Amino acid sequence: MEFSGKSAFVTGGGGGMGLNIAQDLLRGGANVTLFDLKPAPAGLDEGPGKATYVQGDLTDEPRVGKAMAQTFDANGRLDYLVNAAGVLLLGQDKSLVEIDLDLWDRVLVIDLKSMVHTVRHAVPLMRKNGGGAMVHFSSVQCLRGDDQPQDGYQASKAAMVALSKSIAIQFAADYIRSNVIYPGPTMTPMQARWENNPEAQAAVAGRVPLGRIGTSQDMSNACLFLLSEKASFITGTELIVDGGVMAKP
Ligand SMILES: NC(=O)c1ccc[n+]([C@@H]2O[C@H](COP(=O)([O-])OP(=O)(O)OC[C@H]3O[C@@H](n4cnc5c(N)ncnc54)[C@H](O)[C@@H]3O)[C@@H](O)[C@H]2O)c1
């Protein structure tokens, strides 16, 4: 897909999916700002698009606003926002009846309120260039209960979907589209516990009808489609990218 002349802001750009998406947008010719807590990864200067890496915390709303404004100023436009940052605090994020409530607040600030921070700064800038497209990463986790609950994560990911629909309708007249991807199990740094653990990988893959764990490339393919003009009539909806897990009875 062709993204020449476009300008994108990708959160979680130092991680698995966000980095893959940013690299694919750069290959497609877009200029991309990658925003993440982590230091910049290698391989961002291959182009043809120009990468700008911002090391920062999405919970710091003024910092997000500044980076977004700098993205607009450098490129004269902002076309795409990808919200791929997130945390899954396994072992700490648990049932609502036992979770530490400060931990609950922390998860909701990172996984949900960060989306508010990015979107509220992106909308006025996208309006200036006559529209844009957003993709927010939720999770299949929020579509059903779990006997090993992560209720902070679950609630955040569900709320993202509701917000995305609201954004889609509020700003449809501005030609700003907003859609969600629900990833299934995907091999990224978030799931480092599966790395070097063939038994765990086989167990996870065995629960996926297509017989394998997802990759960040699977997610990037879906994301770039939703950002692209090929999805110009798609807004306010969700795409499950999980190898069939949620279709299984
Ligand atoms: N990997 C999976 O199996 C899976 C499944 C379903 C949903 N997801 C969701 O997909 C998205 C991408 O996940 P991933 O697998 O690439 O994870 P990842 O851990 O590889 O990447 C997430 C990135 O977000 C960044 N981040 C976290 N908190 C931040 C903050 N406060 N400010 C700035 N950056 C911050 C991290 O540094 C990290 O680089 C996440 O929202 C995740 O919840 C992942």
Side-chain angles (χ1 to χ4, degrees):
M1 277 174 268
E2 174 62 39
F3 295 99
S4 297
K6 302 291 189 185
S7 160
F9 193 95
V10 179
T11 76
M17 299 181 198
L19 178 57
N20 202 135
I21 291 161
Q23 285 173 322
D24 286 348
L25 284 169
L26 289 162
R27 278 185 209 109
N31 293 340
V32 183
T33 297
L34 303 87
F35 192 106
D36 202 295
L37 279 177
K38 290 181 186 167
L44 291 178
D45 49 7
E46 288 163 20
K50 183 177 179 301
T52 304
Y53 196 87
V54 180
Q55 191 174 1
D57 190 337
L58 287 162
T59 66
D60 179 351
E61 192 249 352
R63 182 89 180 87
V64 173
K66 189 174 168 206
M68 196 91 68
Q70 284 171 340
T71 302
F72 185 89
D73 291 346
N75 301 303
R77 53 192 303 115
L78 179 71
D79 300 283
Y80 308 128
L81 168 64
V82 177
N83 278 315
V87 287
L88 175 62
L89 301 177
L90 284 172
Q92 300 175 73
D93 188 353
K94 40 195 171 185
S95 164
L96 75 169
V97 296
E98 54 185 14
I99 191 170
D100 176 297
L101 289 176
D102 289 336
L103 194 280
W104 168 273
D105 289 346
R106 191 172 145 222
V107 172
L108 265 80
V109 168
I110 299 170
D111 284 350
L112 176 60
K113 198 173 177 192
S114 290
M115 173 180 174
V116 178
H117 293 168
T118 55
V119 171
R120 63 195 272 140
H121 287 286
V123 165
L125 300 175
M126 287 182 174
R127 276 184 173 142
K128 285 190 191 180
N129 47 260
M134 303 180 182
V135 172
H136 318 285
F137 278 82
S138 175
S139 169
V140 292
Q141 177 74 19
C142 77
L143 295 174
R144 58 185 181 186
D146 193 334
D147 52 12
Q148 291 178 309
Q150 300 128 28
D151 281 339
Y153 187 77
Q154 174 121 1
S156 304
K157 293 300 184 183
M160 287 179 77
V161 179
L163 272 185
S164 175
K165 282 194 194 296
S166 180
I167 292 161
I169 299 311
Q170 288 179 64
F171 308 114
D174 297 302
Y175 300 104
I176 296 173
R177 296 184 297 106
S178 174
N179 292 294
V180 161
I181 289 177
Y182 289 118
T186 309
M187 192 59 86
T188 65
M190 182 173 276
Q191 306 291 13
R193 66 192 190 283
W194 299 337
E195 240 178 324
N196 309 318
N197 188 341
E199 279 172 21
Q201 289 183 28
V204 176
R207 292 194 289 274
V208 179
L210 287 180
R212 66 172 174 86
I213 297 175
T215 64
S216 59
Q217 190 61 56
D218 293 321
M219 303 306 146
S220 182
N221 294 343
C223 180
L224 265 62
F225 163 67
L226 287 172
L227 292 176
S228 78
E229 277 305 299
K230 291 184 195 298
S232 62
F233 200 51
I234 301 177
T235 196
T237 194
E238 300 85 45
L239 181 58
I240 298 178
V241 188
D242 71 345
V245 174
M246 294 311 299
K248 229 170 36 169

